[in-house]
Amino acid sequence: MPTTKELVCLANSRKHNGRCIAGIDIQSNLWVRPVSSRPGHEVSEAERRYRNGAEPRILDVVSVRLLRPKRFGFQTENWILDPGSQWEKRGRVGWDDLRRLEQRPKHLWVNSEDSTRKGLNDRVAVEQEFALLNSLKLIRVKAVTVEVDRPYDANRDLEVRAKFRHAGATYILKVTDAVYEERFRALGVGSYELSESFLTVSLGEEFKGHFYKMVAAIIERRTTERTTEPGSDG
């Protein structure tokens, strides 16, 4: 049955030719990932715009019309969006609100010796899918190192990864947060230190025998406390 949910936007990340949007439902405190009914499930620019043409930002409270839940394997948070409806911004949240939404998993799904050459604890083999129950986490870390590196294919864009520690383990994951990816690519190859931050970590769909972990959003305490404002303009 169609329904409208108000979500704290905690991901607006790059996916195929569109975006992956995800947030936590204010009423239920559960993750919701609005997806299209297209094979790639990406959200197009037209589908995610506010009435004034603006793009949803991280920490916006967004009203979204949804048609029905649509689980894809362990991605239990997925809902088919109503492509004919208009998203509305209902306000903003701040750092203290994030503290109430913080999750403290003992580990980010499955950690094993099976990592990519540049990553660490960054993927899960399909044979371990039975251990996966969800695909989104909001965690708080003391520090993040953003690493910008050249790709193996010189014709592709610089690669951006986030290195951090969580619950005693070190992770190096690709960053798909569109804002941070662009910002740090512009700075060039190198390592950049960030202080206390929230990270939205997502587990993607299967690609060549693995599910890949990604940092879908970086939310720095330093900038969040300075820029968050109340109100609605959607």
Side-chain angles (χ1 to χ4, degrees):
M1 177 179 294
T3 185
T4 299
K5 292 184 179 291
E6 289 193 0
L7 312 177
V8 177
C9 181
L10 296 171
N12 184 349
S13 60
R14 178 176 49 79
K15 180 175 184 179
H16 307 308
N17 293 321
R19 292 290 177 86
C20 174
I21 309 289
I24 292 181
D25 177 18
I26 287 179
Q27 191 170 44
S28 67
N29 250 20
L30 297 175
W31 278 100
V32 172
R33 180 190 285 116
V35 298
S36 69
S37 57
R38 294 182 292 275
H41 309 139
E42 77 283 359
V43 180
S44 72
E45 183 174 339
E47 289 166 337
R48 66 179 185 266
R49 290 287 183 185
Y50 294 139
R51 186 178 297 110
N52 63 7
E55 178 93 9
R57 295 187 298 155
I58 302 299
L59 302 185
D60 280 358
V61 177
V62 187
S63 175
V64 182
R65 180 78 171 166
L66 302 164
L67 297 179
R68 60 187 181 280
K70 183 63 175 178
R71 171 178 180 158
F72 301 113
F74 58 84
Q75 291 194 344
T76 56
E77 308 90 346
N78 294 1
W79 283 69
I80 298 292
L81 60 81
D82 181 351
S85 68
Q86 188 79 58
W87 292 17
E88 295 183 13
K89 178 179 174 181
R90 296 295 177 85
R92 296 274 293 169
V93 302
W95 187 263
D96 290 342
D97 301 296
L98 288 178
R99 292 294 302 270
R100 288 190 282 273
L101 299 175
E102 179 180 354
Q103 297 175 297
R104 298 178 176 83
K106 292 181 179 178
H107 42 74
L108 297 177
W109 302 287
V110 177
N111 292 338
S112 67
E113 299 298 320
D114 187 11
S115 301
T116 63
R117 291 206 300 182
K118 294 185 179 181
L120 184 61
N121 288 321
D122 62 340
R123 65 182 183 180
V124 180
V126 293
E127 291 79 7
Q128 296 175 301
E129 184 175 3
F130 67 90
L132 305 175
L133 302 176
N134 50 58
S135 64
L136 289 162
K137 302 290 184 188
L138 179 67
I139 62 170
R140 183 165 54 96
V141 296
K142 291 181 178 178
V144 183
T145 301
V146 177
E147 300 178 340
V148 182
D149 195 11
R150 293 184 178 83
Y152 295 119
D153 182 349
N155 295 317
R156 306 191 69 171
D157 292 329
L158 294 175
E159 297 175 343
V160 182
R161 291 179 175 80
K163 179 179 181 181
F164 59 93
R165 286 187 61 77
H166 170 71
T170 300
Y171 296 84
I172 303 176
L173 311 183
K174 269 198 171 182
V175 174
T176 56
D177 179 322
V179 173
Y180 272 77
E181 195 176 39
E182 181 178 352
R183 179 183 303 170
F184 282 93
R185 275 178 178 158
L187 295 177
V189 173
S191 295
Y192 306 91
E193 302 296 331
L194 305 181
S195 56
E196 183 181 8
S197 300
F198 273 95
L199 303 177
T200 298
V201 185
S202 175
L203 188 62
E205 298 167 13
E206 188 268 338
F207 180 72
K208 295 185 177 179
H210 290 87
F211 306 109
Y212 288 84
K213 306 173 191 177
M214 299 163 281
V215 173
I218 299 174
I219 308 167
E220 294 179 76
R221 180 171 186 168
R222 177 181 60 86
T223 57
T224 299
E225 292 186 332
R226 189 176 68 235
T227 59
T228 300
E229 80 282 357
S232 169
D233 61 7

